[in-house]
Amino acid sequence: MTRRGWRRQGAGLYLGNAVRLAGPGAGRPAICVGPRTAAVAGAAGFRATAGPGDAERLMPLVQDLGPGWLHLHGVHRARELPLPGVAVYDQQARALNDAALAALAGDQPVIVPLFSPRSAAIVADGARHARAPLWLVPISAAAGRAWENAQGPRPARLSQAETPTRRGSSRLSRGCCMGTIILSAT
């Protein structure tokens, strides 16, 4: 996947455009889905509150905010929030590359972190003819359901991330085994 508007920093992706498009932080409040976006917003001068990492559990924080709030989001969202919103980035689907297809055609386990319901559905479609044992690590129950709804191949193992974050998925992925191939759904 590519995400227009995201910039690479270290091993992770950080939402830079949404924070830049929000204008100067100047101490204004920002409620962020998770700690990584909150860190970026905080560095930009916002008084950032880190949410629990997924849209479903963010709902209590945004239910009754009143006027003056704006939801900066991607074109594809896991959930509609009860706020006016503006799409500021787009996750564009890409076909699996030759290395990924070769891994799926092999016999070694392939660990597949699923970082969003949309990513899960896209990768499920690309992995439809996999012969390799798939070890799915969905970031959330919604991502796991999206894999099932897209009729992805039945996984050999399924372990939902302990926290709905990249770190939670990575920690679980590393614990699966040594020497396997990892396909990222982002």
Side-chain angles (χ1 to χ4, degrees), residues 11-185:
L13 295 172
Y14 289 84
L15 182 54
N17 272 354
V19 172
R20 278 192 298 281
L21 290 171
R28 291 186 296 153
I31 299 173
C32 304
V33 172
R36 288 176 40 147
T37 306
V40 172
F46 288 89
R47 199 173 68 248
T49 299
D54 62 58
E56 190 65 38
R57 294 184 305 149
L58 185 70
M59 290 301 287
L61 294 174
V62 300
Q63 277 305 94
D64 299 311
L65 288 176
W69 288 86
L70 181 64
H71 178 208
L72 302 178
H73 57 77
V75 171
H76 309 281
R77 291 171 284 181
R79 171 133 192 205
E80 186 81 28
L81 297 181
L83 304 166
V86 175
V88 296
Y89 65 93
D90 187 7
Q91 175 196 39
Q92 297 182 1
R94 291 180 38 186
L96 296 177
N97 64 26
D98 291 341
L101 293 171
L104 292 170
D107 57 5
Q108 288 189 8
V110 177
I111 300 171
V112 185
L114 302 171
F115 290 112
S116 73
R118 177 171 159 72
S119 294
I122 292 168
V123 174
D125 185 55
R128 194 161 314 283
H129 301 292
R131 289 195 323 246
L134 301 181
W135 294 4
L136 297 186
V137 184
I139 196 167
S140 64
R145 283 190 303 273
W147 178 273
E148 290 174 12
N149 293 341
Q151 299 179 344
R154 183 174 177 88
R157 288 179 67 176
L158 175 66
S159 302
Q160 184 175 316
E162 32 187 87
T163 59
T165 62
R166 183 178 300 274
R167 176 175 282 162
S169 294
S170 297
R171 190 174 298 131
L172 191 54
S173 296
R174 282 194 302 272
C176 288
C177 67
M178 298 298 290
T180 60
I181 299 163
I182 298 177
L183 291 178
S184 176

